[in-house]
Amino acid sequence: MITKSIRAIALLVIASTITGCSSVSEQEQNAVSGTSDAETIYKQKCVSCHAIDLQGRVGPNLQKVGAKYTQEELLGIMSKGKGGMPSFEKRLSEEQIDALAVWLASKR
Ligand code: HEC
């Protein structure tokens, strides 16, 4: 009797964990179109050239980029592109570019 109800509770916990997980992965799939979280966007759009820790690869190191450019300048670089840096004005929303500019401006 007791073991049965424990088993029932365990099943419920497992079931809710599984459904919880699947909704997280759905969120991740829609991350870029839906989110304006700078780090999430960075991971999807910028990591390939600037590396996960902002250290740089094809693109330059961004760890102190906030000391080099103002938030507006960063916004301009991302919207219009610069040299080998692609333009993101068609690939990200204004809100998303804004969020990235605020985030990068704090890297100093
Ligand atoms: C295809 C590779 C590539 C991708 C993707 C890319 N960048 Fe760049 N980025 C570059 C290159 C190359 C430069 C150097 C441009 C130059 O000065 O000629 C650069 C320069 C920059 C600069 C100016 C750095 C400096 O010190 O002058 C910023 C800021 C920047 N990128 C941010 C981003 C952000 C934010 C993203 C994602 C939305 C991103 N980049 C995606 C290649 C890339």
Side-chain angles (χ1 to χ4, degrees), residues 54-72:
L54 306 169
Q55 235 183 7
R57 283 153 74 118
V58 184
N61 184 313
L62 300 177
Q63 282 166 338
K64 298 224 168 16
V65 78
K68 190 170 166 187
Y69 298 107
T70 65
Q71 196 175 308
E72 274 82 77

Side-chain angles (χ1 to χ4, degrees), residues 45-46 48-50 58-60 62 65 68-69 74 77-78 82-86 88 92 100 104:
K45 298 284 177 188
C46 322
S48 52
C49 294
H50 292 283
V58 184
L62 300 177
V65 78
K68 190 170 166 187
Y69 298 107
L74 290 165
I77 293 170
M78 286 182 278
K82 174 176 183 277
M85 164 80 187
F88 281 91
L92 292 172
L100 279 168
L104 286 174

Side-chain angles (χ1 to χ4, degrees), residues 26-94:
E26 257 167 49
Q27 269 173 7
E28 272 168 12
Q29 274 169 8
N30 295 327
V32 161
S33 48
T35 191
S36 46
D37 175 60
E39 287 192 60
T40 310
I41 305 162
Y42 181 86
K43 280 181 196 149
Q44 308 247 351
K45 298 284 177 188
C46 322
V47 157
S48 52
C49 294
H50 292 283
I52 189 81
D53 55 0
L54 306 169
Q55 235 183 7
R57 283 153 74 118
V58 184
N61 184 313
L62 300 177
Q63 282 166 338
K64 298 224 168 16
V65 78
K68 190 170 166 187
Y69 298 107
T70 65
Q71 196 175 308
E72 274 82 77
E73 287 169 330
L74 290 165
L75 216 132
I77 293 170
M78 286 182 278
S79 317
K80 303 291 171 207
K82 174 176 183 277
M85 164 80 187
S87 151
F88 281 91
E89 68 189 341
K90 299 222 168 63
R91 285 187 257 178
L92 292 172
S93 69
E94 235 172 89

